[in-house]
Amino acid sequence: MTVTPAEAASRAAQILARPATINGLTVPNRIAMAPMTRMFSPGGIPGEDVVSYYSRRAAAGVGLIVTEGTYVGHASAGQSDRVPRFHGEEQLAGWAKVADAVHAAGGTIVPQLWHIGMVRKQGDQPFPDAPAVGPSGLRIGEDEVTGKAMTQADVDDVIGAFAEAAAAAERIGFDGVEIHGAHGYLVDQFLWAGTNRRTDAYGGDPVARTKFAAEIVAAVRETVSPEFPVIFRYSQWKQDAYDARLAETPEELEAVLTPLVTAGVDAFHASTRRYWHPEFDGSDLNLAGWTKKLTGKTAITVGSVGLDGEFGKAFQGEGAGLGSLDNLLDRLERDEFDLVAVGRALLQDPAWAEKVLSGRFEELAPFDAAALKTLS
Ligand SMILES: Cc1cc2nc3c(=O)[nH]c(=O)nc-3n(C[C@H](O)[C@H](O)[C@H](O)COP(=O)(O)O)c2cc1C
């Protein structure tokens, strides 16, 4: 059946403009901004340019902003003095301005709380003397121990740092938090057998490897109000190991997700590189789809939304390819997942959401890597 551009635009608006719920939070529509490290915060302090970078996107229709990864208050958490920190008076004062401006623009916002673990090179900023730490002191793809295998005291300190950051987020007016458990950083280093060789209670089978993440979630949950949303981002793929997998089957995935649900996760952000890829054989559900099916929790999908040349084709009467908006809308309509996070397309065009919500597809420009270099 041929659909006119006007009919297609109206369908997109209807499906994407519905509010979504994450615990006590109502997100005004289904479009989220994916967390993207930008390194535009000298001294770890988000300045006025960061305030306007986020509020511009909220004003132009992004319902939920997940900030770039921001370091929790642990000396080994990061490696750049230009990545914003989520601890310290000046840093939090900067973040409070970001949250206020996003709210004034009609959006909602959560910080992505981050510890990079063994990705850190010792000697890097902002705390050059701190060691790189991880479950077993191993970097992805290496068998030689080059960092510090975390002691129970280290584990407790890091869990405390996540809980303190979450408490700060609620205190300064954010709408929830996202815990960065993806892409081979610290929390994921515990989840993945490739970097977790521990023989204590934090290593072994998938449930034991999930213990650290679940304890972070539980500590965060205990620190914030019951209705304050706690989102957990995870991925199969790792930085420098794109074929890595936490789970080969839905049963294995369920083993990882269940303790996180029990600990108090309200929503999962399932990070994939292409949202249309089926996660397991025998079903076209993607990773977010499986996550929602297995946990019943709010699920956020992500991965190349708006980047495929197919994206707006339905709106030119050319039918629907895999990376098309039609495919995305079909999945949303089936409640496969609840929200759609958009990364690079929103760097390219701060008004991307507004244009999609109002069917102005002809105004969308293809992604150009030059967009990574500015904070416009
Ligand atoms: C410049 C850049 C920085 C990123 N930084 C983060 C980050 O801090 N935390 C995170 O979880 N993902 C990060 N990502 C991954 C994105 O959140 C997103 O999952 C990925 O870009 C795929 O979405 P897209 O195809 O819409 O860009 C980053 C991606 C880009 C392009």
Side-chain angles (χ1 to χ4, degrees), residues 31-34 36 57 62 303-308 311 341-353 355-356 364-368 371-372:
I31 300 176
M33 179 171 179
M36 283 175 288
R57 283 155 177 85
V62 173
S304 302
V305 175
L307 294 188
D308 192 297
F311 189 71
V342 179
R344 287 163 290 174
L346 266 171
L347 295 185
Q348 178 67 35
D349 187 350
W352 187 91
K355 289 177 184 171
V356 171
L364 296 174
F367 177 70
D368 179 337
L372 296 171

Side-chain angles (χ1 to χ4, degrees), residues 33-38 66-70 112 114 178 180-183 185 233 237 239 269 271-274 302-307 341-347 367 372:
M33 179 171 179
M36 283 175 288
T37 297
R38 304 307 314 278
V66 183
T67 72
E68 61 206 287
T70 169
Q112 188 190 50
W114 192 22
E178 177 170 288
H180 193 343
H183 305 167
Y185 295 105
R233 190 174 222 220
W237 66 271
Q239 212 72 251
H269 190 170
S271 173
T272 48
R273 297 169 74 207
R274 290 174 191 83
V302 68
S304 302
V305 175
L307 294 188
V342 179
R344 287 163 290 174
L346 266 171
L347 295 185
F367 177 70
L372 296 171

Side-chain angles (χ1 to χ4, degrees), residues 6-304:
E7 284 166 343
S10 144
R11 175 172 184 245
Q14 273 172 26
I15 293 171
L16 290 167
R18 295 172 303 164
T21 306
I22 309 177
N23 193 351
L25 176 69
T26 302
V27 179
N29 63 47
R30 303 304 179 103
I31 300 176
M33 179 171 179
M36 283 175 288
T37 297
R38 304 307 314 278
M39 313 224 311
F40 281 93
S41 300
I45 305 166
E48 288 305 325
D49 50 351
V50 177
V51 172
S52 47
Y53 163 74
Y54 285 118
S55 59
R56 189 176 300 130
R57 283 155 177 85
V62 173
L64 172 68
I65 287 171
V66 183
T67 72
E68 61 206 287
T70 169
Y71 299 150
V72 296
H74 184 258
S76 297
Q79 64 179 354
S80 164
D81 202 37
R82 291 179 63 81
V83 166
R85 288 176 234 161
F86 215 80
H87 58 100
E89 208 174 307
E90 280 180 277
Q91 289 80 3
L92 291 175
W95 276 123
K97 287 186 195 163
V98 173
D100 286 350
V102 166
H103 291 151
T108 63
I109 181 164
V110 301
Q112 188 190 50
L113 305 180
W114 192 22
H115 191 305
I116 71 171
M118 285 302 300
V119 172
R120 176 181 160 77
K121 296 183 191 72
Q122 199 171 343
D124 278 3
Q125 296 293 335
F127 302 105
D129 297 331
V133 302
S136 306
L138 289 169
R139 292 182 197 286
I140 288 175
E142 292 180 7
D143 272 327
E144 188 195 345
V145 174
T146 53
K148 183 183 181 199
M150 288 166 71
T151 62
Q152 184 64 50
D154 295 326
V155 165
D156 294 344
D157 283 351
V158 172
I159 291 172
F162 272 93
E164 267 178 41
E170 187 169 26
R171 192 173 65 242
I172 66 175
F174 279 80
D175 298 296
V177 289
E178 177 170 288
I179 296 163
H180 193 343
H183 305 167
Y185 295 105
L186 181 67
V187 176
D188 197 21
Q189 287 160 24
F190 273 85
L191 293 175
W192 189 48
T195 38
N196 183 347
R197 311 271 170 87
R198 293 177 80 102
T199 52
D200 65 1
Y202 294 97
D205 66 17
V207 174
R209 293 200 306 271
T210 307
K211 181 174 164 64
F212 177 64
E215 288 185 353
I216 291 175
V217 172
V220 165
R221 186 76 277 161
E222 215 170 277
T223 311
V224 297
S225 305
E227 67 280 3
F228 193 70
V230 177
I231 305 170
F232 189 87
R233 190 174 222 220
Y234 80 100
S235 62
Q236 299 262 39
W237 66 271
K238 321 291 161 214
Q239 212 72 251
D240 300 324
Y242 288 111
D243 295 333
R245 286 169 81 76
L246 292 181
E248 295 293 347
T249 62
E251 291 71 28
E252 285 178 15
L253 185 60
E254 192 168 20
V256 175
L257 299 179
T258 301
L260 297 170
V261 172
T262 307
V265 167
D266 299 306
F268 287 97
H269 190 170
S271 173
T272 48
R273 297 169 74 207
R274 290 174 191 83
Y275 74 84
W276 58 88
H277 274 192
E279 192 57 42
F280 303 114
D281 290 344
S283 159
D284 70 355
L285 286 181
N286 72 8
L287 187 62
W290 276 106
T291 302
K292 188 170 164 78
K293 183 182 163 89
L294 293 169
T295 67
K297 295 290 174 186
T298 302
I300 307 172
T301 197
V302 68
S304 302

